[in-house]
Amino acid sequence: MTTDAATDRPIGGYPRIVKRRDAFRVLPNMADYDDARRGFDWTAARALLDGLPGGGLNIAHEAVDRHAAGLHAGREALRWIGRRGERRSFTWADLRAATNRVANALRGIGLQDGDRVFVLAGRIPELYLTVLGALKAKCVVSPLFSAFGPEPIATRMELGAARALVTTGALYARKVAALRDRLPGLEHVILVGEDGAAAEVPGTQDWSALMAAASEDFAIPPTSPEDMALLHFTSGTTGRPKGAVHVHEAVVMHAMTGRYALDLHPDDVFWCTSDPGWVTGTSYGIIAPLVNGVTNLVAEAEFDAATWYDILEKERVSVWYTAPTAIRMMMKLGAAPLEGRDLSALRFMASVGEPLNPEAVVWSQKAFGMPFHDNWWQTETGGIMIANFAAMDVKPGSMGRPLPGIEAAIVERRDGGLSVIDAPMTSGELALRAGWPSMMRGYLHEEARYAKCFVDGWYLTGDLAMRDEEGYFWFVGRADDVIKTSGHLIGPFEVESALMEHPAVAEAGVIGKPDPTAGEIVKAFVALKPGFEAGEALRRELLGHARKRLGAAVAPKEIDFRQNLPKTRSGKIMRRLLKARELGLPEGDLSTLESDER
Ligand code: ATP
Ligand code: MG
């Protein structure tokens, strides 16, 4: 990647949000970043965990059993809030008993070490119990989005060699039953009945009956840290989703990042809004809070601002981990729905999944009295790699600094090798020194692709970023999305962020559109906030606003209005689809598209 003046600047130039030490209600786990980094070693991080009594490491032991055997036994581990306001609560002792039953049931039907258990369900308690119980039984868990259609479900189960599926009666009937012939290896389908009712369907077993018959005692078999634990499919933002293989040792990263990046303290009520169908919903929606001995709140309902604010207020959520797509929806409604609410328990807010526009950080500071702390990672990295930490000043638009133990760099690929770019604020590929505990151990059935991710001991992320003098990283764009116009390299994030500053703009997606003279021109697709009218006048105003903010070389030349932008099920803007549609090209894999607007 060549250096280019157009990308060599921080996004926006917003003032930093300074953290005053005397203003912390709870002392952050990492009070001094540089100190923590200097003193860090992985052996000490491993010591945060117990390990299995006979040696080895199992995620579910760290998340459940060791707490159930200790002081946390009677504390609330999992708090579930149903769509209709129903509630269920599990202490660590309850969780141990319930997940032991799952492990016994899975072993009882003949599942063995390494067998693949797929889970297809909304955010219901049984999903959480299954994931943890299957890990205890040394099965490999692969969670699927319940909103997937039949085809993506079948493809993933075929690829992942599913031996068992835990799902609901309704989802099975709608999405799996008809495709069962294609899945000869799928020996066991276990159905969770609606509202506790038995699910009597041919070729399936009933969850409740299996659990009732299973014992509450289970000893986790010896588990090596290198045993495969989870199979996660990527979001499919840039193409066909890849299956990333993760092992039990990943729990070291979950423990450490929960503590440092999410600043979890034992008294916290933690809410991660991500669905376990995406890696965030498992690593941080299940594992990290439990490993850290923190009450994990699960809300079944999809996004709705009033419902979410109710949850924050009534459940006294103290740490909240969500995504830019939800934050943009909240911004669209303004701060009014927050007025009069008591969010005094809320202490730390974080965001992941997509670039977080600086405007969103500034908005959150105003609306909540604290910023969203952006952090960066991928399915492949298994855990948070770069983050804005609780004690650290936030520079709106930056994804923060690498976790202790993580070496991140900006690099340039060249003839089979690479060189590290040391110059500050110079765009290049974001690379991580290979070897952290939760690094994927492979792409399923794609060895060559996996091998290509590593050069000279670095893992190459496929994302472009810059690093400033203070070691903060700034996202530029995915390598595939970067725009080359008249000799400049432009990251879509910068242009989108500038458009987001305009009061009319709710969301923006920016692409490079081929052009005979410029190579590509910058084209923006914009969705408006309620009360704004799409039209020529607003288009001109937005073009002018962008030119003023970005200069003529970087500002979009064309702006189209859209009701909604195409997104993945996890809420990421699919620029590749905007581009394919603009150019009339094949749309590629659409299995992860949010709505069925195919
Ligand atoms: P696919 O690899 O199938 O195209 P995906 O990359 O969206 O899908 P994920 O692993 O879910 O799959 O997402 C990781 C990617 O999301 C990162 O590589 C990055 O591009 C983007 N991302 C995640 N967090 C951030 C962030 N804080 N800032 C900017 N980008 C982010
Ligand atoms: Mg990716």
Side-chain angles (χ1 to χ4, degrees), residues 171-466:
L171 286 168
Y172 179 72
R174 280 213 325 271
K175 305 188 175 188
V176 185
L179 295 173
R180 193 84 190 258
D181 291 350
R182 261 175 62 185
L183 302 162
L186 182 63
E187 284 170 48
H188 306 280
V189 174
I190 302 170
L191 298 186
V192 178
E194 308 296 321
D195 297 323
E200 285 167 22
V201 180
T204 70
Q205 286 152 289
D206 176 48
W207 159 277
S208 317
L210 276 176
M211 293 308 130
S215 156
E216 275 184 13
D217 295 317
F218 183 81
I220 298 178
T223 311
S224 150
E226 285 303 313
D227 282 341
M228 184 171 166
L230 293 156
L231 172 65
H232 279 300
F233 290 90
T234 60
S235 296
T237 314
T238 54
R240 196 168 54 79
K242 300 148 276 203
V245 171
H246 287 287
V247 298
H248 281 273
E249 203 196 9
V251 70
V252 177
M253 202 71 203
H254 300 144
M256 194 269 262
T257 49
R259 201 182 170 99
Y260 286 160
L262 300 175
D263 199 42
L264 297 177
H265 288 65
D267 290 335
D268 279 323
V269 174
F270 171 70
W271 181 26
C272 168
T273 62
S274 173
D275 190 278
W278 184 45
V279 69
T280 303
T282 305
S283 295
Y284 296 95
I286 308 179
I287 302 169
L290 294 177
V291 168
N292 278 289
V294 169
T295 301
N296 188 29
L297 186 142
V298 172
E300 190 187 17
E302 295 308 327
F303 177 80
D304 167 72
T307 312
W308 278 27
Y309 294 152
D310 275 353
I311 291 173
L312 288 174
E313 182 174 13
K314 295 194 181 126
E315 305 303 327
R316 310 271 313 146
V317 171
S318 54
V319 179
W320 184 28
Y321 194 20
T322 188
T325 182
I327 298 169
R328 287 192 300 259
M329 287 195 263
M330 291 185 268
M331 289 169 73
K332 210 163 152 176
L333 301 173
L338 278 163
E339 270 162 31
R341 290 189 182 268
D342 171 13
L343 299 184
S344 56
L346 195 58
R347 178 172 66 71
F348 187 76
M349 315 196 297
S351 162
V352 73
E354 273 195 297
L356 183 63
N357 311 97
E359 195 61 24
V361 179
V362 172
W363 177 81
S364 60
Q365 176 71 33
K366 273 193 228 130
F368 293 90
M370 69 190 89
F372 274 108
H373 293 72
D374 188 21
N375 59 54
W376 178 97
W377 61 292
Q378 305 177 307
T379 308
E380 291 87 340
T381 69
I384 301 169
M385 296 283 111
I386 296 178
N388 285 284
F389 303 98
M392 208 172 82
D393 292 353
V394 170
K395 301 186 188 181
S398 162
M399 30 196 212
R401 300 173 77 182
L403 267 290
I406 299 298
E407 195 186 336
I410 304 298
V411 306
E412 187 177 3
R413 300 188 196 222
R414 44 169 69 146
D415 326 317
L418 54 77
S419 58
V420 173
I421 300 175
D422 283 322
M425 293 319 266
T426 306
S427 158
E429 188 163 356
L430 176 62
L432 304 160
R433 173 72 70 193
W436 66 94
S438 64
M439 192 176 85
M440 68 165 165
R441 300 300 199 262
Y443 277 132
L444 195 70
H445 310 314
E446 293 191 275
E447 271 171 42
R449 178 177 222 160
Y450 176 70
K452 265 172 67 184
C453 296
F454 297 90
V455 178
D456 293 350
W458 291 93
Y459 164 71
L460 295 159
T461 65
D463 283 347
L464 300 181
M466 305 183 282

Side-chain angles (χ1 to χ4, degrees), residues 473-531:
F473 283 75
W474 299 77
F475 184 76
V476 172
R478 293 164 184 265
D480 298 345
D481 288 341
V482 112
I483 302 161
K484 301 177 189 81
T485 181
S486 308
H488 300 291
L489 291 172
I490 296 169
F493 176 46
E494 179 178 22
V495 182
E496 290 160 7
S497 290
L499 288 167
M500 289 282 294
E501 288 169 12
H502 191 281
V505 176
E507 278 183 330
V510 166
I511 62 161
K513 177 179 168 184
D515 178 84
T517 26
E520 284 183 312
I521 59 158
V522 179
K523 168 147 196 175
F525 298 84
V526 163
L528 297 177
K529 285 186 186 157

